[in-house]
Amino acid sequence: MKVLGNSLHIANSGKLIAKGKQTPIAGALVFDSKKNKIGKINTVFGPTRSPYISINLFKSTNKEKIMKNQGEKLFVSTDKKRKRGKNHGRRSIKRKNKQN
């Protein structure tokens, strides 16, 4: 895991806004300082050297606790493996069989 940056506030839309130290990958998992999953990166905006990051919080995440700990360090997963659906790649095989 890498340091993502610090939490700033929760927007009216319910997304957590953070100030980053580098540009992260969209869709990566975000963790708090206690290594609990809190959400996924939604969008990255602002300057590339110190961007602002919009994070979709999971429903199980306690928003009041995050508001209380403003400025807390956040971490991002460095795992580049993406989980794919159960039938990923099967459609193309079925189409080839139908054409024959």
Side-chain angles (χ1 to χ4, degrees):
M1 281 196 278
K2 289 185 179 180
V3 174
L4 175 64
N6 296 327
S7 64
L8 294 178
H9 66 275
I10 294 181
N12 291 337
S13 62
K15 294 180 173 135
L16 175 65
I17 306 299
K19 178 80 169 174
K21 296 184 179 186
Q22 60 188 11
T23 305
I25 299 170
L29 291 173
V30 179
F31 300 86
D32 64 4
S33 58
K34 296 179 182 176
K35 310 296 188 247
N36 297 323
K37 284 185 195 178
I38 61 168
K40 282 187 177 184
I41 295 177
N42 181 32
T43 56
V44 180
F45 55 96
T48 55
R49 290 185 186 242
S50 59
Y52 291 95
I53 302 155
S54 170
I55 301 165
N56 285 337
L57 296 172
F58 295 138
K59 290 180 181 178
S60 61
T61 304
N62 188 351
K63 291 182 184 180
E64 288 81 24
K65 186 177 176 183
I66 290 174
M67 288 293 289
K68 190 176 178 183
N69 296 329
Q70 283 184 348
E72 177 184 28
K73 271 193 179 181
L74 300 175
F75 298 88
V76 65
S77 65
T78 55
D79 187 15
K80 294 184 181 176
K81 293 179 184 177
R82 301 291 296 172
K83 290 185 179 180
R84 295 188 172 151
K86 181 179 173 183
N87 295 324
H88 179 73
R90 293 210 173 211
R91 280 191 190 154
S92 60
I93 294 170
K94 288 179 182 178
R95 286 182 190 156
K96 287 178 185 177
N97 289 339
K98 285 183 179 180
Q99 291 174 355
N100 292 335

